[in-house]
Amino acid sequence: MTKFHSTVSRRDFMKGLGLAGAGLGAATVLSPGFHDLDEVSSASSGSTSGPGGELRRPWWVSEKDHGQTATLEIDWSQVQRADRSKISTFPYRQSDHPKAVYNREHFDELQREVVRHAAPEWNGDSIRDWAINGATGVLRFYNYYTPAKTTMFMGYQKAPTPESRNMPRWEGTAEENTLMLRHAFKLFGATDFGVTVLDENTKKLVFAKESNGKAYNFVSDDTLAETDTEYRIPSRFKYMITWTHQEATELNMRKPSNLGSSASNLAYSRLPFISVQLQEFIRGLGYHGINAWSGEMAPSNPFGTLAGIGEHARMCFVLVTPERGSMIRGMCRMLTDIPLEPTKPIDAGISRFCLTCKTCSKFCLFEALPNDDPTWDVHDQATTGMPYSPTGFKGWRLNTVNCSNCTACMAFCPFNASGRYSFIHDFVAGTSSVTPIFNSFFAQMEESMHYGNKDPESWWNNQEYLYGINPKFI
């Protein structure tokens, strides 16, 4: 009988999962080319570039045609441009809704209860935990733009242009440009990279107004400009780049402690730095990048889904990717006029897995994440106190009034372990992408092995990683 690593037979392996008699044959729908576990293991791969620079995804991820989202139904006729100035970023902080008030008053108690899942004796952050949290939170996105006395729309505009160098601007095909930008993005520190073309449908995802009240207007002339009342966007700006930043992996697994929250602080302190470099690089080529990374121009989840970076999941605002689970921060957006090749949406079975997993909502003690199935329905404002709920898609919607932004959900997602810590994660993730037979087992990994949630105190004795990122996630 074929052995996996010459130690465990396929039958014994499946029996260990509680699937005696099922065998690997029960999961042959994964790919008819796999005959045993050794072949599945050797086929596993991370997010690297293949020939021609295209993104090579894990073997269990399939691509869909442009504009299709196999795991997210969209009714574009119901999608309307939202007014960002009327959408509170964190309504939880100001809301007088009874649940929001309760959550604020009992935050420390609820936080401890979540963390004690992995650390029963944990009594709160130590002074060194608070010191790390404070150090990582000192420099946030506004620090990069306030000294420059400019907005994020046009950016610094400091890099020399081709014209100033007496050189022609860069001219390349859409495919060449996409490969070039992916290389630059990686160099500057971005993790994932995707492109969506703006058309009459996807334009609806761009906010009608920014939080400062200025309108985003698509104009017929060729004038890119910011005035006191509007941002003028010429029609040549039709390529929306979506990019992400990998969070410190081991800190992410210590959320929702304040030590764990340092992972988000650190990411947000770097995102603007990366964003400025990206914007100035595009300027140096002879084009423009309209900097939308902060969420002022457009929401992150729709463009991340359409660009194929990940899938819409039960965590609502947090996109889950096949390679990094929920360990990414800043689903950043940048609109540009350099011609690019759009990337394709994916089907990795993540949304389908969320149907039965519910791990994130189980540990959301603030009751912000939904426990039910995806729906077209929006939140009722009178009941929830929410000022805004997005329309036009069948999915999950966050109760922003309840959400304390503790990010516990990001620590508990079983996909955080996919293909990174051992072969079994990649195997089960691949199986769950097409059949639910392993879903309960995969969800229980977090419960029994704490792959997604760890004792905060243990971080100080953990192996050190550059920028806190386990190399397996790079």
Coordinates of all heavy atoms in Angstrom, one line a residue, residues 129-164:
D129 N 4.0 44.4 26.8 CA 3.0 44.3 25.8 C 2.5 45.7 25.4 O 2.3 46.0 24.2 CB 1.8 43.4 26.2 CG 2.2 42.0 26.5 OD1 3.3 41.5 26.0 OD2 1.4 41.3 27.3
W130 N 2.1 46.4 26.4 CA 1.7 47.8 26.1 C 2.8 48.6 25.5 O 2.5 49.5 24.6 CB 1.2 48.5 27.4 CG -0.1 48.1 27.9 CD1 -0.4 47.2 29.0 CD2 -1.4 48.5 27.3 NE1 -1.8 47.1 29.1 CE2 -2.4 47.9 28.1 CE3 -1.7 49.3 26.3 CZ2 -3.8 48.0 27.8 CZ3 -3.1 49.5 26.0 CH2 -4.1 48.8 26.7
A131 N 4.0 48.4 25.8 CA 5.1 49.2 25.3 C 5.3 48.9 23.8 O 5.5 49.8 22.9 CB 6.4 48.9 26.0
I132 N 5.1 47.6 23.4 CA 5.2 47.2 22.0 C 4.0 47.9 21.2 O 4.1 48.4 20.1 CB 5.2 45.7 21.8 CG1 6.5 45.1 22.1 CG2 4.7 45.3 20.4 CD1 7.6 45.4 21.0
N133 N 2.8 47.8 21.8 CA 1.6 48.3 21.2 C 1.8 49.8 21.0 O 1.4 50.4 19.9 CB 0.4 48.0 22.1 CG -0.9 48.6 21.4 OD1 -1.2 49.7 21.6 ND2 -1.6 47.7 20.8
G134 N 2.3 50.5 22.0 CA 2.5 52.0 21.9 C 3.5 52.3 20.8 O 3.4 53.3 20.1
A135 N 4.6 51.6 20.7 CA 5.7 51.9 19.8 C 5.2 51.7 18.3 O 5.5 52.5 17.5 CB 6.9 51.0 20.1
T136 N 4.4 50.6 18.1 CA 4.0 50.3 16.7 C 2.9 51.3 16.3 O 2.6 51.5 15.1 CB 3.5 48.9 16.6 OG1 2.5 48.6 17.6 CG2 4.6 47.9 16.8
G137 N 2.2 51.9 17.3 CA 1.1 52.7 17.0 C 1.4 54.2 16.9 O 0.5 55.0 16.6
V138 N 2.6 54.6 17.1 CA 3.0 56.0 17.1 C 2.9 56.6 15.7 O 2.4 57.7 15.5 CB 4.5 56.2 17.6 CG1 5.0 57.6 17.3 CG2 4.5 55.9 19.1
L139 N 3.3 55.9 14.7 CA 3.4 56.4 13.3 C 2.2 55.8 12.5 O 2.3 54.6 12.2 CB 4.7 56.2 12.7 CG 5.0 56.9 11.4 CD1 5.0 58.4 11.6 CD2 6.3 56.5 10.8
R140 N 1.2 56.5 12.3 CA 0.1 56.0 11.5 C 0.0 56.8 10.2 O 0.7 57.7 9.9 CB -1.2 56.0 12.3 CG -1.2 55.2 13.5 CD -1.1 53.7 13.2 NE -2.4 53.2 12.7 CZ -3.3 52.5 13.4 NH1 -3.1 52.3 14.6 NH2 -4.4 52.1 12.8
F141 N -1.0 56.4 9.3 CA -1.0 56.9 8.0 C -1.1 58.4 7.9 O -0.5 59.0 7.0 CB -2.2 56.3 7.2 CG -3.6 56.6 7.9 CD1 -4.3 57.7 7.6 CD2 -4.1 55.6 8.7 CE1 -5.5 58.0 8.2 CE2 -5.4 55.8 9.3 CZ -6.1 57.0 9.1
Y142 N -1.7 59.1 8.8 CA -1.8 60.6 8.6 C -0.5 61.3 8.8 O -0.3 62.4 8.3 CB -2.8 61.1 9.6 CG -2.6 60.7 11.1 CD1 -1.7 61.3 11.9 CD2 -3.4 59.7 11.6 CE1 -1.5 60.9 13.2 CE2 -3.2 59.3 12.9 CZ -2.3 59.9 13.7 OH -2.1 59.5 15.0
N143 N 0.5 60.6 9.4 CA 1.8 61.3 9.6 C 2.5 61.5 8.3 O 3.3 62.4 8.2 CB 2.6 60.5 10.5 CG 2.1 60.3 11.9 OD1 1.2 59.4 12.1 ND2 2.5 61.2 12.8
Y144 N 2.2 60.7 7.3 CA 2.9 60.8 6.0 C 2.4 62.0 5.2 O 3.2 62.5 4.4 CB 2.8 59.5 5.2 CG 3.6 58.4 5.8 CD1 3.1 57.5 6.8 CD2 4.9 58.1 5.3 CE1 3.9 56.5 7.3 CE2 5.6 57.1 5.8 CZ 5.1 56.3 6.8 OH 5.9 55.3 7.3
Y145 N 1.2 62.3 5.4 CA 0.6 63.3 4.5 C 0.5 64.7 5.1 O 0.5 65.7 4.5 CB -0.8 62.9 4.0 CG -0.6 61.7 3.0 CD1 -0.6 60.4 3.4 CD2 -0.5 62.0 1.6 CE1 -0.4 59.4 2.5 CE2 -0.3 61.0 0.7 CZ -0.3 59.7 1.1 OH -0.1 58.7 0.2
T146 N 0.3 64.7 6.4 CA 0.2 66.0 7.1 C 1.4 66.9 6.9 O 1.2 68.1 6.6 CB -0.1 65.8 8.6 OG1 -1.2 65.0 8.8 CG2 -0.3 67.1 9.3
P147 N 2.6 66.4 7.0 CA 3.8 67.3 6.8 C 3.8 67.9 5.4 O 4.3 68.9 5.1 CB 5.0 66.4 7.1 CG 4.4 65.4 8.0 CD 3.0 65.1 7.5
A148 N 3.3 67.1 4.4 CA 3.4 67.5 3.0 C 2.2 68.4 2.7 O 2.2 69.0 1.6 CB 3.2 66.2 2.1
K149 N 1.3 68.6 3.6 CA 0.2 69.5 3.4 C -0.6 69.2 2.1 O -0.9 70.1 1.3 CB 0.6 71.0 3.4 CG 1.2 71.4 4.8 CD 1.6 72.8 4.8 CE 2.2 73.2 6.2 NZ 2.6 74.6 6.2
T150 N -0.8 67.9 1.9 CA -1.5 67.5 0.7 C -2.4 66.4 1.0 O -2.4 65.8 2.1 CB -0.4 67.0 -0.4 OG1 -1.1 66.7 -1.6 CG2 0.3 65.8 0.1
T151 N -3.3 66.1 0.1 CA -4.2 64.9 0.3 C -3.7 63.7 -0.3 O -2.6 63.7 -1.0 CB -5.6 65.2 -0.3 OG1 -5.5 65.3 -1.7 CG2 -6.1 66.6 0.2
M152 N -4.4 62.6 -0.2 CA -4.0 61.4 -0.8 C -4.3 61.3 -2.3 O -3.9 60.3 -3.0 CB -4.6 60.2 -0.1 CG -4.2 60.1 1.4 SD -5.0 58.7 2.2 CE -4.3 58.8 3.8
F153 N -5.0 62.2 -2.8 CA -5.5 62.1 -4.2 C -4.4 62.2 -5.2 O -4.2 61.3 -6.0 CB -6.5 63.2 -4.5 CG -7.2 63.1 -5.8 CD1 -8.1 62.0 -6.1 CD2 -6.9 64.0 -6.9 CE1 -8.7 61.9 -7.4 CE2 -7.5 63.9 -8.1 CZ -8.4 62.8 -8.3
M154 N -3.5 63.2 -5.1 CA -2.4 63.4 -6.1 C -1.1 62.9 -5.5 O -0.1 62.7 -6.2 CB -2.3 64.8 -6.5 CG -3.6 65.3 -7.2 SD -3.8 64.6 -8.9 CE -2.5 65.5 -9.8
G155 N -1.0 62.9 -4.1 CA 0.2 62.5 -3.5 C 1.3 63.5 -3.4 O 1.0 64.7 -3.6
Y156 N 2.5 63.1 -3.2 CA 3.6 64.1 -3.0 C 4.0 64.8 -4.3 O 4.4 65.9 -4.3 CB 4.9 63.3 -2.5 CG 4.9 63.1 -1.0 CD1 3.8 63.2 -0.2 CD2 6.1 62.9 -0.4 CE1 3.8 63.0 1.2 CE2 6.2 62.7 1.0 CZ 5.0 62.7 1.8 OH 5.1 62.6 3.1
Q157 N 4.0 64.0 -5.4 CA 4.4 64.6 -6.7 C 5.8 65.1 -6.7 O 6.1 66.2 -7.1 CB 3.4 65.7 -7.2 CG 2.0 65.2 -7.3 CD 1.1 66.3 -7.9 OE1 1.2 66.6 -9.0 NE2 0.2 66.8 -7.0
K158 N 6.7 64.3 -6.1 CA 8.1 64.7 -5.9 C 9.1 64.0 -6.9 O 10.1 64.5 -7.3 CB 8.6 64.5 -4.5 CG 7.9 65.3 -3.4 CD 8.1 66.8 -3.6 CE 7.5 67.6 -2.5 NZ 7.7 69.0 -2.6
A159 N 8.7 62.8 -7.3 CA 9.6 62.0 -8.2 C 9.7 62.7 -9.6 O 8.7 63.2 -10.1 CB 9.0 60.6 -8.4
P160 N 10.9 62.7 -10.1 CA 11.1 63.3 -11.5 C 10.3 62.6 -12.5 O 10.2 61.3 -12.5 CB 12.6 63.1 -11.7 CG 13.2 63.0 -10.4 CD 12.2 62.3 -9.5
T161 N 9.7 63.3 -13.4 CA 8.9 62.7 -14.5 C 9.8 62.5 -15.7 O 10.9 63.0 -15.8 CB 7.7 63.6 -14.9 OG1 8.3 64.8 -15.4 CG2 6.8 63.9 -13.7
P162 N 9.4 61.6 -16.6 CA 10.2 61.4 -17.8 C 10.4 62.8 -18.6 O 11.5 63.0 -19.1 CB 9.3 60.5 -18.7 CG 8.5 59.7 -17.7 CD 8.2 60.7 -16.6
E163 N 9.4 63.6 -18.6 CA 9.6 64.9 -19.2 C 10.7 65.7 -18.6 O 11.5 66.4 -19.3 CB 8.3 65.7 -19.1 CG 8.3 67.1 -19.8 CD 7.0 67.8 -19.7 OE1 6.2 67.4 -18.8 OE2 6.8 68.7 -20.5
S164 N 10.8 65.7 -17.2 CA 11.9 66.4 -16.6 C 13.3 65.8 -16.8 O 14.3 66.5 -16.7 CB 11.6 66.5 -15.1 OG 11.8 65.2 -14.5

